[in-house]
Amino acid sequence: MDMKAGSGKKLGLKEKYRHMTRELDWETTYQTRQDVHPLVEYEGIKIHDWDKWEDPFRLTMDAYWKYQSEKERKLYAIIEAYAQNNGHLNVTDARYLNAIKLFLTGISPLEYMAHRGFAMAGRAFPGAGPRVACLMQSLDELRHAQTQIHSLSNYNKYYNGFHDPAHMLQRVWYLSVPRSFFDDAVTAGPFEFMVAIGFSFEYVLTNLLFVPFVSGAAYNGDMGTMTFGFSAQSDEARHMTLGLEIIKFILEQDPDNIPIVQRWIDKWTWRGYRVLTLVGMMMDYMLPKRIMSWKEAWEVYFEQNGGALFKDLARYGIRPPKWLDQISFDKDHISHQAWSTFYQYGAAADFHTWSPTDDELDWLSKKYPNSFDKYYRPRLEFWREQAEKGNRFYNTTLPQLCQVCQIPMVFTEPGDPTKTCYREVDYQGEKFHFCSDGCKDIFEHEPEKYKQSWLPVHQIYQGNCFPEGTDPTVEGFEPLAKVLEYYHVNFGRDNLDFEGSEDQKNFAAWRGMATTNE
Amino acid sequence: MSTVFIALQANEETRPIIEAIEQDNPNAVVNHQPAMVKIDCEDRIVVRRETIEELIGRDFDLQEIQVNLISLSGHLDETDDEMTLYWNA
């Protein structure tokens, strides 16, 4: 007689979730729980009942594979169609590709680090619910790294600067900014990692990257980026619910957790905000067809959305992140300050920079009525005039970097955009430098961590960024050329001004061939 | 008052979902942006399975929304019949 396998009734969402998560968990027998999960107590977070944690999406592994595989099929169909159709010639302007180079070198490797981080966090938690959710997020992040590399590698066949992102991440000066952000998070404890990445980054900040910027990629004809971007962000929607849920869960478990979590929120909002400077520049300067200004995106996704979130969390005794006044003032400034930095250091980067056209300057004036014409337009126009006379400005003096965010100290004083902001701290007989009160405060709380930062400029000056076997004492030694060799940046192809670059010439020639019978 | 939002890819599969959200949330504001649709609403958005099923004429599992979802905000409560986004304050 056949055994009856079940009642025949389909399980409801909540019932299925319970069977497929909690009931697959087991108690340890020959090892103590503490030995199996050694990291769970060392940050001081107190959890009394792991079962109180619930995944609001109630996603189980079987449903996860089903929907993810459907997303993958759609994604690869579009990526292939885009590649088969020479879609790279349909972007608005080859300048756009430089934003995508930044994406490939600066952002995609973070996905891979997020994959590793969530795998570690999932391993560290004793509760079955967060473990399963972290496992899925870890898989998602690995998928994002892969799909981004697959989508963007299509450009590598035709354009410069895409050839070695993994190598560059460990070496190139500005890539230490995003890299140090994730290195900081994965070397924290599991709860801090969840607040840093699961909450602060996913909930408050990824929207700015994957919603308006990716919508902007679509606007500029880049189907590949649109598709991986939205496909990734559909996972982010789940990640945000995980981030919010983990915060609520930690805060509800014990009042002692509140000040610890508050400090992490302050720290990671500030660190995340600093990293997003890159995205502000991509939106305001690198999308030939602009979708909205950085300031507008900030107002929608940080001020409106994040504001609602912090109003909601107030009932736990959580206040909005520190330094919000300065953040709010800075929205008129940071994208311009960042572009000016990359324009000056365009000989040491792996992508091209350029002088904005009149039309673009006018757009920036309109979007930034309180700051652009007064502080930034004159400088950009001066640089353009000089470039037209053959004096394209390249700064060859290396900048002081902030010990925490690792960004060159180019940001200005709170409330005064004409004065560079410098802070310093003496620690164990050494001086450490900071771009802001936020970064200084983060250092002062954990000096033993941040005194170890690998700062590219310091390393260059110490002679640690030359190819093996370099002799800096030989006559005619050119340090910059050797540093670029160490970075795997091809001088004259991957860097310098977009005007006159190989990318510019090739794109124009190929686009011409695509629209004529020549 | 706080705003919640849901953003979906602009494609054939989401057209009836967006229509269902508009029907079930009279205060929803629908913004069409390149390749995406962002729906904002004061305090709460409800996505109802039955409304979507009436519009598409077949069974619909609310978790299918994940294939075309881009982003959201607010606390999420998902059952077999409704997916709700809301703020408590």
Side-chain angles (χ1 to χ4, degrees), chain A residues 117-155:
Chain A
F118 280 100
M120 289 191 277
R123 172 64 185 80
F125 293 140
R131 273 216 306 276
V132 172
C134 282
L135 167 66
M136 288 181 207
Q137 176 151 359
S138 175
L139 291 169
D140 287 338
E141 305 291 2
L142 183 59
R143 180 177 94 89
H144 298 172
Q146 289 172 343
T147 56
Q148 285 166 24
I149 291 165
H150 284 165
S151 306
L152 299 175
S153 69
N154 181 37
Y155 291 119

Side-chain angles (χ1 to χ4, degrees), chain A residues 10-14 16 56-59 63 66-68 70-71 74 203 207 210-211 215 218-219 226 230-231 233-234 236-238 240-241 244 248 291-292 300-301 304-305 308-309 311-312 315, chain B residues 1-5 7-11 13 33-38 40 43 61-83 85-89:
Chain A
K10 206 177 147 204
L11 292 176
L13 197 59
K14 288 184 182 178
K16 188 174 132 197
F57 263 118
R58 299 199 177 83
L59 198 61
K66 182 176 156 191
Y67 295 119
Q68 293 302 91
E70 198 171 328
K71 280 201 262 187
K74 283 179 59 145
Y203 205 92
N207 271 327
F210 282 104
V211 187
S215 178
Y219 213 30
M226 176 200 80
F230 285 159
S231 184
Q233 193 65 10
S234 68
E236 307 294 347
R238 266 188 288 110
M240 287 176 215
T241 64
L244 184 53
K248 288 194 288 184
I291 180 149
M292 60 168 76
V300 171
Y301 291 103
Q304 195 189 97
N305 185 35
L309 169 68
K311 207 159 86 183
D312 192 273
R315 72 200 141 103
Chain B
M1 298 283 262
S2 292
T3 305
V4 292
F5 79 79
L8 297 159
Q9 292 196 47
N11 61 28
E13 285 174 6
Q33 293 171 17
M36 60 173 267
V37 177
K38 178 170 181 273
D40 297 310
D43 289 332
D61 183 334
L62 273 179
Q63 289 195 329
E64 281 180 49
I65 209 169
Q66 297 199 22
V67 176
N68 295 295
L69 180 65
I70 295 173
S71 188
L72 50 77
S73 75
H75 301 289
L76 172 78
D77 185 24
E78 194 179 32
T79 66
D80 291 299
D81 300 320
E82 286 184 350
M83 176 180 156
L85 293 167
Y86 64 97
W87 292 119
N88 290 316

Side-chain angles (χ1 to χ4, degrees), chain A residues 5 16 53 86 95 99 113 128 133 140 162 185 199 244 296 313 330 353 358 363-364 374 390 431 444 464 513:
Chain A
K16 188 174 132 197
W53 193 92
N86 276 331
R95 288 182 307 165
M113 285 308 285
D140 287 338
F162 288 99
F199 177 74
L244 184 53
E296 288 166 322
L313 291 176
D330 285 353
T353 50
D358 281 332
W363 185 88
L364 289 165
K374 194 169 173 192
K431 241 181 225 323
E444 283 174 323
N464 295 328
M513 284 162 72

